[in-house]
Amino acid sequence: DVFPSHRSIGDVAGRVELSGSTRWGAGPEPRLRLDLREISISTGAARIADLSGTIELASLTPLVAPETQRLTGALSLDGRAATRFDLAFRLPAAGAPSIERLSFAFAGGTVSGGPIALDDEKFALEIADLDLAALGAEGLAARGRLSNRQSPI
């Protein structure tokens, strides 16, 4: 099962192209190129739009992308305005997948982080120039900007 949690995915649209070759040594050694262009995905309260990038795969089952891969797109949660994101990640043959670098616009500023091992319970994000008033917490009145190099999550 390539995508075991596929049951939570709603509408999917866009262009996906898979190309490559397989060399035979001790076993099959595929070199595959997965091109994603303007993919949109709805999953309950989240929507990803304009997902684009090229992923170089060494295996489909399990998914293995040993080199750093990059995707860009826009994410909206609960119908809020979409924010652009840039994601660099690895899907190693052994060990946990990792986010090498993630950045996205948020509250008039930027949130970024990485590397983040997806099996780790803690990670740090860098926040830069967030507009406190744009955070929009109910009952909160705020002015000013917020920046911090390492905010543990």
Side-chain angles (χ1 to χ4, degrees), residues 4-5 7 17 24 26 29 33-34 37 41 49 51 60-61 73 95 106-107 119 125 131 136 140:
S5 62
R7 290 164 191 80
E17 294 179 6
W24 290 89
E29 300 172 12
R33 179 183 173 108
L34 182 64
R37 297 290 172 251
I41 304 168
L51 181 66
L60 285 176
T61 55
F106 179 71
D119 65 348
L125 295 175
D131 180 353
L140 174 67

Side-chain angles (χ1 to χ4, degrees), residues 106-110 127-136 140-148:
F106 179 71
T110 304
I127 54 177
D129 209 25
L130 298 188
D131 180 353
L132 294 175
L135 293 175
L140 174 67
R143 285 187 306 191
R145 314 265 328 154
L146 176 66
S147 293
N148 187 351

Side-chain angles (χ1 to χ4, degrees), residues 36-110:
L36 306 174
R37 297 290 172 251
E38 299 176 358
I39 304 295
S40 63
I41 304 168
S42 297
T43 62
R47 177 167 172 74
I48 296 174
D50 299 325
L51 181 66
S52 295
T54 298
I55 302 171
E56 302 285 340
L57 295 168
S59 172
L60 285 176
T61 55
L63 283 176
V64 176
E67 303 299 321
T68 300
Q69 310 296 315
R70 182 170 178 242
L71 296 174
T72 60
L75 172 67
S76 62
L77 300 172
D78 293 324
R80 294 189 174 115
T83 182
R84 299 292 307 168
F85 67 86
D86 189 331
L87 171 67
F89 65 95
R90 290 181 58 150
L91 301 170
S98 64
I99 296 173
E100 299 299 306
R101 189 84 182 142
L102 168 66
S103 65
F104 58 93
F106 179 71
T110 304

Side-chain angles (χ1 to χ4, degrees), residues 5-25:
S5 62
H6 69 279
R7 290 164 191 80
S8 64
I9 296 175
D11 295 332
V12 177
R15 191 176 89 201
V16 177
E17 294 179 6
L18 179 64
S19 61
S21 61
T22 298
R23 186 176 72 159
W24 290 89

